[in-house]
C-alpha cells in the first residue's frame, strides 16, 4: 500500500471517531446519570469519543420499551414479515460495511483484513441465518388415546420468551452480540443489550441500522455501562427481563448466574477456555503449523476458542517448535488499515497488564522463552498503544498457572507427549472445556481422540470452522447451554403444549 493510500484509509478510520449513545425505544440518548467515560483506541491510546454510563433509570427505560414492543407491532407481525425485516438488517450492515469496519477496528485495534472477512460479514449473517432457521421450524404433535375412545391431540406452540438481556464481550463485539440478538429477534423477542465497555461503537451503530430497516422502536435497545453495580448488573436484576444470554469470562458467568437466580430467569453462558491443540507425529505438519498459528495468534490471541496449550508428539516436537517460532516471528504488527498487518494490539492497556503479568510469571517459573515475552518497539505514533509480542514458551510444569489459566493473549506453551492416552489426559486436565483441535492423518485416531475430548467443539485438522446451524457452547466451566441453529430456539422460545380433547 502506498503512503498516500494508507493516509486516505487512516482518514476514513478517523471519521468513525465519535461519542457513543444509548439506544432506547428507537432513539439515541446520553441518559440522565451525567457520567461518561473516555473510549480510547488501543492503537495509540487516543480518545475515540465519550461513552455515557447508564444507570438504573436507563436500564428501566430500556426494559420497559422492550416489554411494550413485545406486544406492539413487533408482536403482531407474521414470522415472514419479521424475518424479512431481519434480512434487511443484514443487508444494511453489509451496505455500511466500511462504517462498521472502521468502528470495530478503532475500538479493538484488530486488522481490518480480519474484521472485513470475519467480524462484520458474520455479524450480518447472524441475522439472515436465524431468520431462515425460524421460518422452517416445526413442533411436535402427538395423538393420544382417552378412556372415552375419542382421543386427544397434543401440539407444541413456540412463543417468544420475552425481554432478553444480552451481555457481550469485547473480543468480537459485533459478531458475538448479533450471535444473540439475531436469534432473539428472529424468535419474536425484544432485547436490551449491554455491550462491553471496551467496545461500544458497533452496538450503537446497529441502532441506526435497526431504524433504517424498519425494526419497530423498543425491539432493539442498547444501554452502555460497566458490569458490577452498573448497567450490566442492573440489567440482569431487572424484573422485566425474562432470559439472560451472556458471553464473557467464567467468573463473570458465575456472578450473572447468581443474579439470574433472582426471579428464576433462564441463562445461557458462553464462557472462557484454555483450549488444547494435540499434534500427532502423523499430522500433515504444514497444515498443523498453519492451523495452530491461527489458533494461537489470530485477533492477538483474544479468541475464546484460541489455543494456549499445544501438545506435540515427541518425534516432531523440535521441528514443530522451530516452525511455530518462525511463524510467530513473521507476524507483522501495525495499523488495521495497512493490508500487510497481521497482528493488532491487545484491546486495552489494562488487558495488556494482565497478559504481561503472565509473561512475567512464565519467566519467573523458569520457562524457556522460545520467542517474544515482552512489549515490542513500535513507531512513535503507535508507541502508546497496547502492543505486545507474540510469545511461545516451553518447559513449564503441568501445574503452572500459564498452562491452566486463561491468558487471552497471543501466546502458547508447547509440551511434548509420548502416546495417545497421555495426550488425551493432558488435553482434559483443566476446569475449562470449550474447544480442542486434533492434528493427525490417521482417521481412526482422529475419531477416537475427538470422542474423548471434554469440550463443546473438537476440530480435526482445522480450527474456527463451523456450520452456523450446529450447536455451540462449552462443557465444564466453559459454559452452560448451547446456541446455534435450532439449538438457539431452545433458549429464545418458550414451548407451550396444547392438549385438545376430541
Ligand atoms: P467479561 O466477563 O469481563 O465481560 C463481559 C461482559 O460482562 C461485559 O459487557 C461486562 O461489562 C459484563 N459484566 C461484567 N460483570 C458483570 C456483572 N456482574 N453483571 C453483569 N454484567 C457484567 O469478559 P470480557 O473480558 O469482555 O471478554 C473476554 C472473556 O470472554 C474471555 O474469558 C473469553 O474466553 C470469553 N469469551 C467466551 C466466548 C464463548 O463463546 N465461550 C466468546 C468470546 C469470549
Amino acid at each position: 500500500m502506498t503512503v498516500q493510500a494508507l493516509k486516505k484509509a487512516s482518514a476514513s478510520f478517523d471519521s468513525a471517531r465519535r461519542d457513543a449513545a444509548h439506544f432506547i425505544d428507537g432513539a439515541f440518548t446520553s441518559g440522565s446519570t451525567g457520567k461518561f467515560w473516555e473510549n480510547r483506541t488501543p492503537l495509540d491510546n487516543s480518545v475515540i469519543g465519550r461513552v455515557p454510563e447508564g444507570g438504573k433509570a436507563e436500564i428501566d427505560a430500556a426494559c420497559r420499551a422492550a416489554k411494550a414492543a413485545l406486544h406492539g407491532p413487533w408482536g403482531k407481525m407474521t414470522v415472514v414479515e419479521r424475518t424479512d425485516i431481519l434480512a434487511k438488517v443484514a443487508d444494511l450492515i453489509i451496505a455500511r460495511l466500511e462504517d462498521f469496519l472502521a468502528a470495530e477496528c478503532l475500538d479493538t485495534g484488530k486488522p481490518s483484513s480480519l474484521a472485513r472477512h470475519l467480524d462484520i460479514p458474520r455479524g450480518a449473517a447472524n441475522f439472515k441465518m436465524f431468520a431462515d432457521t425460524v421460518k422452517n421450524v416445526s413442533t411436535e404433535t402427538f395423538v393420544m388415546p382417552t378412556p372415552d375412545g375419542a382421543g386427544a391431540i397434543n401440539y407444541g406452540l413456540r412463543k417468544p420468551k420475552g425481554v432478553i438481556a444480552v451481555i457481550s464481550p469485547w473480543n468480537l463485539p459485533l459478531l458475538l452480540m448479533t450471535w444473540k440478538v439475531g436469534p432473539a429477534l428472529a424468535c419474536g423477542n425484544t432485547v436490551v443489550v449491554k455491550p462491553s465497555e471496551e467496545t461500544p461503537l458497533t452496538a450503537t451503530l446497529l441502532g441506526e441500522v435497526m431504524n433504517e430497516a424498519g425494526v419497530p422502536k423498543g425491539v432493539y435497545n442498547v444501554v452502555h455501562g460497566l458490569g458490577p453495580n452498573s448497567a450490566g448488573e442492573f440489567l440482569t436484576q431487572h424484573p422485566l427481563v425474562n432470559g439472560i444470554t451472556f458471553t464473557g469470562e467464567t467468573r463473570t458467568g458465575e456472578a450473572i448466574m447468581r443474579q439470574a437466580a433472582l426471579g428464576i430467569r433462564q441463562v445461557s453462558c458462553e464462557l472462557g477456555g484454555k483450549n488444547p491443540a494435540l499434534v500427532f507425529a502423523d499430522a500433515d505438519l504444514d497444515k498443523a503449523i498453519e492451523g495452530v498459528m491461527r489458533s494461537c495468534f489470530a485477533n492477538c490471541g483474544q479468541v475464546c476458542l484460541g489455543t494456549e496449550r499445544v501438545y506435540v508428539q515427541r518425534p516432531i516436537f523440535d521441528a514443530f517448535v522451530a516452525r511455530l517460532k518462525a511463524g510467530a516471528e513473521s507476524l507483522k504488527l501495525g495499523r488495521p488499515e495497512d493490508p500487510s498487518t497481521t497482528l493488532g494490539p491487545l484491546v486495552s492497556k489494562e488487558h495488556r497488564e494482565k497478559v504481561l503479568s503472565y509473561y512475567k510469571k512464565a519467566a519467573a517459573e523458569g520457562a524457556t522463552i522460545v520467542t517474544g515475552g515482552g512489549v515490542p518497539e513500535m513507531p512513535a505514533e503507535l508507541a502508546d498503544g497496547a502492543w505486545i509480542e507474540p510469545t511461545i514458551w516451553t518447559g513449564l510444569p503441568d501445574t503452572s498457572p500459564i498452562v491452566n489459566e486463561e491468558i487471552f493473549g497471543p501466546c502458547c506453551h508447547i509440551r511434548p507427549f509420548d502416546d495417545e492416552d497421555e495426550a488425551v489426559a493432558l488435553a482434559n486436565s483443566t476446569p475449562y472445556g470449550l474447544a480442542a483441535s486434533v492434528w493427525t492423518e490417521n482417521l481412526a485416531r482422529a475419531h477416537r481422540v475427538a470422542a474423548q475430548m471434554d469440550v463443546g467443539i473438537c476440530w480435526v485438522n482445522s480450527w474456527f470452522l463451523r456450520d452456523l446451524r450446529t450447536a455451540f457452547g462449552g462443557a465444564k466451566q466453559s459454559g452452560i447451554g448451547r446456541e446455534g441453529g435450532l439449538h438457539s430456539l431452545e433458549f429464545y422460545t418458550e414451548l407451550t403444549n396444547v392438549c385438545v380433547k376430541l
Side-chain angles (χ1 to χ4, degrees):
M1 200 178 205
T2 62
V3 174
Q4 245 171 357
L6 194 54
K7 272 195 178 149
K8 202 170 149 216
S10 299
S12 97
F13 270 55
D14 279 338
S15 69
R17 287 178 193 265
R18 65 189 61 187
D19 293 341
H22 310 303
F23 183 69
I24 300 173
D25 209 14
F28 291 97
T29 167
S30 298
S32 59
T33 62
K35 290 198 226 165
F36 294 84
W37 74 86
E38 280 181 341
N39 181 24
R40 289 176 182 269
T41 175
L43 290 167
D44 56 11
N45 206 31
S46 62
V47 175
I48 299 171
R50 291 198 317 166
V51 188
E53 180 178 351
K56 285 188 175 160
E58 287 71 30
I59 289 293
D60 189 52
C63 289
R64 282 177 192 282
K67 184 79 181 173
L70 271 178
H71 307 294
W74 188 243
K76 295 190 175 74
M77 277 181 200
T78 64
V79 69
V80 173
E81 287 166 338
R82 197 167 69 221
T83 51
D84 278 354
I85 291 184
L86 295 181
K88 203 163 169 199
V89 169
D91 290 342
L92 286 171
I93 292 174
I94 296 301
R96 295 189 61 182
L97 191 134
E98 298 303 326
D99 294 342
F100 277 95
L101 194 66
E104 206 73 305
C105 291
L106 269 180
D107 260 354
T108 61
K110 66 178 70 190
S112 83
S113 56
L114 180 68
R116 185 180 292 281
H117 292 110
L118 178 68
D119 299 65
I120 313 305
R122 268 284 302 276
N126 285 336
F127 286 101
K128 244 185 193 137
M129 196 272 292
F130 285 107
D132 288 343
T133 302
V134 299
K135 274 192 282 201
N136 294 301
V137 174
S138 57
T139 53
E140 60 193 17
T141 306
F142 294 104
V143 177
M144 64 180 287
T146 52
D148 65 2
I153 299 174
N154 295 252
Y155 63 90
L157 280 181
R158 276 199 187 277
K159 299 184 219 154
K161 182 166 254 138
V163 175
I164 305 291
V166 176
I167 301 188
S168 51
W170 45 257
N171 58 327
L172 301 158
L174 182 73
L175 188 162
L176 289 172
M177 190 252 296
T178 54
W179 173 243
K180 294 166 178 304
V181 172
L185 298 193
C187 291
N189 301 285
T190 57
V191 296
V192 179
V193 178
K194 208 300 280 171
S196 168
E197 49 273 37
E198 302 286 358
T199 51
L201 289 185
T202 45
T204 310
L205 205 48
L206 191 58
E208 291 178 18
V209 163
M210 292 286 177
N211 279 349
E212 211 181 322
V215 174
K217 62 182 191 162
V219 171
Y220 171 81
N221 304 276
V222 178
V223 179
H224 296 289
L226 312 178
N229 199 28
S230 181
E233 186 174 339
F234 302 151
L235 174 59
T236 58
Q237 291 174 335
H238 197 284
L240 291 181
V241 166
N242 303 105
I244 302 166
T245 177
F246 168 72
T247 300
E249 280 188 17
T250 295
R251 297 289 83 85
T252 313
E254 285 176 347
I256 285 180
M257 286 183 76
R258 279 194 291 273
Q259 289 153 209
L262 212 77
I264 317 292
R265 271 86 48 79
Q266 200 179 343
V267 278
S268 170
C269 284
E270 296 177 348
L271 307 175
K274 185 72 183 176
N275 311 303
L278 305 184
V279 186
F280 287 89
D282 58 21
D284 177 323
L285 200 53
D286 290 343
K287 286 187 195 153
I289 289 288
E290 190 274 332
V292 175
M293 267 291 293
R294 278 195 302 122
S295 72
C296 292
F297 302 120
N299 207 35
C300 205
Q302 302 164 121
V303 182
C304 56
L305 302 164
T307 299
E308 290 188 355
R309 297 182 290 143
V310 186
Y311 299 108
V312 182
Q313 208 161 12
R314 208 172 294 275
I316 59 164
F317 183 78
D318 290 342
F320 185 92
V321 172
R323 289 189 60 180
L324 202 69
K325 171 183 191 294
E329 289 172 358
S330 73
L331 291 168
K332 185 168 175 296
L333 282 69
R335 288 193 58 91
E337 58 274 34
D338 183 340
S340 67
T341 296
T342 47
L343 201 70
L346 289 171
V347 76
S348 66
K349 286 181 134 178
E350 292 72 31
H351 185 53
R352 184 171 70 170
E353 279 315 302
K354 178 191 157 190
V355 176
L356 281 176
S357 76
Y358 282 99
Y359 281 23
K360 284 182 196 129
K361 228 177 267 182
E365 285 192 359
T368 300
I369 301 168
V370 176
T371 188
V375 171
E377 244 181 67
M378 297 299 291
E381 68 275 14
L382 298 177
D384 204 18
W387 304 92
I388 194 158
E389 286 177 338
T391 294
I392 300 173
W393 305 284
T394 57
L396 286 170
D398 295 330
T399 50
S400 167
I402 308 296
V403 186
N404 290 281
E405 295 171 16
E406 182 183 51
I407 301 173
F408 226 51
C411 54
C412 67
H413 178 259
I414 317 182
R415 177 212 199 275
F417 68 86
D418 290 302
D419 60 30
E420 210 175 287
D421 286 348
E422 186 190 9
V424 168
L426 287 167
N428 287 336
S429 67
T430 77
Y432 292 105
L434 190 55
S437 48
V438 179
W439 299 87
T440 177
E441 290 296 295
N442 178 330
L443 191 61
R445 188 203 298 281
H447 287 291
R448 198 165 53 231
V449 173
Q452 294 175 81
M453 293 292 102
D454 296 334
V455 293
I457 182 164
C458 179
W459 282 286
V460 174
N461 296 331
S462 62
W463 179 74
F464 212 83
L465 183 67
R466 192 173 66 84
D467 187 313
L468 297 183
R469 291 169 295 185
T470 58
F472 180 78
K476 293 153 74 180
Q477 292 191 22
S478 286
I480 182 163
R482 293 290 182 274
E483 296 196 31
L486 291 171
H487 304 276
S488 291
L489 305 193
E490 294 302 322
F491 179 74
Y492 293 105
T493 59
E494 283 294 347
L495 196 53
T496 301
N497 180 47
V498 179
C499 181
V500 184
K501 171 78 172 62
L502 299 176

